[in-house]
């Protein structure tokens, strides 16, 4: 065999075409045997030796049923059972073919069997035995009849050529079946690998999503609590009234963080959007920052507020939280301005401060998670992020989100302006 049978996966059995049609092959072999028996009987007439010859050929039936058929159905190439069957058929067939040339009809079924059970060299060796041994026997038995010897030689040559042709055709089927089995095995492996990689990729995406959610909600809330605690320490003795106000603010922040954690566990939308619009949620974030830092806060809403896809509202809210968190931790600003602009294309969010600013390209060399996470979140919904800043000139963050949900004249209308001073 030029191509060995494909090694099956554990628990998977690879079957060839002839193994799936065992009954048809049984019928083929049985028909060839009956034809050989009839040729012998009708050619030589009744007689004891004819009956003996036919009985000898019939011994191939139990040999095929007990040895050959199981080997064809599942044994590997060159198994002991396969070799034993081919040898047994040689012992039964060659004497019958020497005594009665008509028995050569059995080669119709016998020729393909070695190719299905053995490798190419062994199959050709057995096929030559099946054809040449009877020819040698005919030569010794009929040497005194040259014409008859020539006829038997021609018959042997034709039978040998036909057997090799049929055997080669069967071998091509075996090779093709093995190649297809190998291809199927590789496809199954590729499918399993693809499924494993898809699961791993989904897990990575989910971890990234959870990391962004935790950073934009719980981490920022805890940062606010830490800063309020630090401020509270200095106000406990000097200004009890202001200390109580900070305690109230800490309590509200802790409750909101608790609501965010429950929402995160339940994989729901942000808790701030459960019972309010995006505009109201952003205003509350601004008011909270003004209370904590005592800065001047202005929130502008331009255009007609309209219903946006939940994913867009979530991204806008998280971007606002991230921008205000960076102002809280780094900006040292005295004035902050948030602008929400509704357009026919979607939403534009801008957060400005007059803080100390920074050089965007040199900021912490990518060690922070907030801005990269925000950019990734915005990119996932098809939006864009623009950050401009310079030392001493403050910072401006603009997030543009696309959502075809607003009326065409939304940009021509202006919602009420809210500004909170602290």
């Amino acid at each position: 065999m030029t191509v060995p049978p494909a090694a099956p996966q554990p628990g998977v059995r690879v079957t060839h075409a002839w193994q799936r049609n065992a009954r048809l092959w049984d019928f083929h072999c049985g028909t060839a045997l009956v034809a050989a028996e009839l040729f012998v009987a009708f050619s030589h007439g009744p007689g004891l030796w004819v009956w003996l010859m036919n009985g000898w050929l019939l011994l191939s039936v139990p040999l095929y049923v007990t040895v050959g058929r199981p080997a064809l159905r599942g044994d590997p190439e060159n198994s002991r059972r396969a070799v034993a069957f081919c040898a047994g058929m040689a012992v039964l067939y060659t004497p019958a073919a020497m005594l009665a040339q008509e028995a050569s009809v059995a080669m119709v079924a016998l020729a393909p069997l070695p190719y299905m059970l053995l490798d190419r060299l062994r199959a050709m060796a057995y096929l030559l035995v099946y054809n040449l041994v009877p020819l040698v026997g005919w030569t010794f038995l009929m040497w005194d009849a040259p014409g008859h010897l020539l006829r038997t030689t021609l018959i042997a040559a034709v039978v040998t050529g036909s057997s090799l042709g049929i055997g080669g055709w069967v071998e091509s089927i075996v090779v093709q079946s093995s190649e297809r089995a190998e291809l199927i095995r590789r496809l199954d492996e590729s499918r399993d690998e693809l499924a494993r990689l898809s699961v791993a990729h989904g897990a990575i995406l989910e971890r990234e999503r959870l990391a962004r959610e935790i950073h934009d909600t719980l981490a920022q809330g805890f940062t606010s609590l830490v800063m309020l605690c630090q401020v509270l320490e200095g106000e406990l003795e000097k200004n009890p009234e202001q200390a109580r106000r900070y305690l109230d603010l800490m309590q509200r922040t802790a409750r909101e963080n608790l609501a965010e954690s429950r929402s995160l566990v339940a994989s729901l939308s942000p808790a701030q959007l459960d019972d309010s619009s995006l505009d109201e949620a952003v205003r509350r974030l601004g008011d909270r920052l003004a209370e904590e830092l005592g800065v001047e806060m202005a929130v502008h809403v331009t255009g007609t507020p309209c219903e946006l896809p939940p994913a867009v509202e979530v991204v806008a809210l998280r971007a606002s939280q991230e921008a205000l968190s960076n102002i809280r931790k780094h900006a040292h600003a005295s004035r902050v301005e948030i602008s929400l602009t509704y357009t026919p294309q979607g939403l534009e969010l801008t957060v400005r401060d007059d803080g100390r600013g920074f050089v965007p390209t040199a900021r912490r060399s990518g060690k922070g998670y907030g801005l990269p996470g925000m950019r990734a979140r915005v990119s996932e919904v098809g939006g864009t992020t623009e950050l401009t800043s310079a030392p001493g000139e403050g910072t401006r963050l603009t997030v543009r989100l696309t959502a075809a949900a607003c009326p065409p004249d939304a940009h021509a209308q202006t919602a009420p302006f809210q500004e909170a001073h602290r």
Side-chain angles (χ1 to χ4, degrees), residues 118-165:
L118 308 173
D119 61 73
R120 174 183 290 180
L121 293 179
R122 294 189 184 188
M124 292 181 66
Y126 273 101
L127 199 59
L128 291 176
V129 169
Y130 296 152
N131 286 279
L132 295 183
V133 170
L135 177 60
V136 173
W138 295 338
T139 301
F140 282 103
L141 291 176
M142 303 173 185
W143 61 272
D144 56 343
H148 192 75
L149 180 61
L150 178 61
R151 182 172 66 88
T152 56
T153 303
L154 291 175
I155 293 174
V158 171
V159 172
T160 302
S162 300
S163 301
L164 291 174

Side-chain angles (χ1 to χ4, degrees), residues 109-400:
L110 188 60
L113 293 177
Y115 284 98
M116 292 188 288
L117 297 172
L118 308 173
D119 61 73
R120 174 183 290 180
L121 293 179
R122 294 189 184 188
M124 292 181 66
Y126 273 101
L127 199 59
L128 291 176
V129 169
Y130 296 152
N131 286 279
L132 295 183
V133 170
L135 177 60
V136 173
W138 295 338
T139 301
F140 282 103
L141 291 176
M142 303 173 185
W143 61 272
D144 56 343
H148 192 75
L149 180 61
L150 178 61
R151 182 172 66 88
T152 56
T153 303
L154 291 175
I155 293 174
V158 171
V159 172
T160 302
S162 300
S163 301
L164 291 174
I166 294 174
W169 174 71
V170 172
E171 183 192 17
S172 67
I173 296 177
V174 174
V175 172
Q176 187 179 55
S177 178
S178 299
E179 290 175 347
R180 288 180 177 177
E182 176 68 13
L183 178 60
I184 292 173
R185 183 184 67 83
R186 292 180 180 178
L187 287 175
D188 288 339
E189 290 180 351
S190 300
R191 183 182 59 188
D192 294 340
E193 180 68 10
L194 180 61
R196 185 187 67 80
L197 293 176
S198 298
V199 172
H201 182 62
I204 292 174
L205 292 179
E206 182 63 14
R207 284 197 294 267
E208 291 179 353
R209 185 189 72 83
L210 290 175
R212 289 196 299 267
E213 292 289 342
I214 292 172
H215 176 273
D216 293 343
T217 56
L218 303 182
Q220 293 178 4
F222 290 136
T223 300
S224 297
L225 289 174
V226 171
M227 295 181 65
L228 289 172
C229 287
Q230 293 172 348
V231 175
L232 180 62
E233 288 179 351
E235 300 289 344
L236 283 175
E237 296 181 359
K238 296 186 296 183
N239 192 346
E241 186 66 27
Q242 183 69 11
R244 281 194 293 271
R245 194 170 68 84
Y246 282 136
L247 283 174
D248 180 66
L249 189 58
M250 291 173 62
Q251 186 179 42
R252 281 189 287 150
T253 302
R255 286 176 177 173
E256 289 182 2
N257 242 30
L258 180 60
E260 284 287 356
S261 65
R262 290 172 176 170
S263 177
L264 183 61
V265 170
S267 297
L268 301 175
S269 60
Q272 295 100 320
L273 297 177
D274 285 345
D275 55 358
S276 62
S277 65
L278 174 63
D279 309 337
E280 295 170 345
V282 171
R283 286 191 177 101
R284 283 199 299 269
L285 291 175
D287 292 342
R288 175 63 52 78
L289 182 71
E291 286 187 68
E292 291 181 13
L293 303 182
V295 299
E296 182 181 349
M297 172 65 64
V299 179
H300 305 275
V301 179
T302 305
T304 301
C306 59
E307 183 178 355
L308 298 171
V312 173
E313 291 191 346
V314 170
V315 170
L317 180 65
R318 296 307 187 208
S320 302
Q321 288 177 315
E322 175 60 27
L324 296 181
S325 175
N326 287 335
I327 291 173
R328 180 184 291 111
K329 290 185 290 186
H330 309 295
H332 300 284
S334 60
R335 177 179 172 81
V336 179
E337 182 179 344
I338 303 175
S339 297
L340 284 173
T341 303
Y342 291 87
T343 68
Q345 292 74 34
L347 177 69
E348 181 175 304
L349 168 70
T350 302
V351 182
R352 303 182 185 88
D353 69 74
D354 62 352
R356 59 185 182 181
F358 63 97
V359 180
T361 57
R363 186 166 178 78
R364 297 202 292 179
S365 303
K367 295 181 180 179
Y369 183 82
L371 287 175
M374 182 187 65
R375 288 193 178 98
R377 187 192 292 274
V378 171
S379 178
E380 285 178 0
V381 296
T384 60
T385 305
E386 180 182 343
L387 178 67
T388 58
S389 182
E393 298 182 9
T395 302
R396 172 175 174 167
L397 173 69
T398 302
V399 174
R400 297 179 179 88

Side-chain angles (χ1 to χ4, degrees), residues 92-122:
L92 293 175
Y93 167 75
T94 52
M98 282 190 294
L99 297 175
Q101 297 178 8
E102 294 77 10
S104 300
V105 175
M107 282 297 295
V108 173
L110 188 60
L113 293 177
Y115 284 98
M116 292 188 288
L117 297 172
L118 308 173
D119 61 73
R120 174 183 290 180
L121 293 179
R122 294 189 184 188

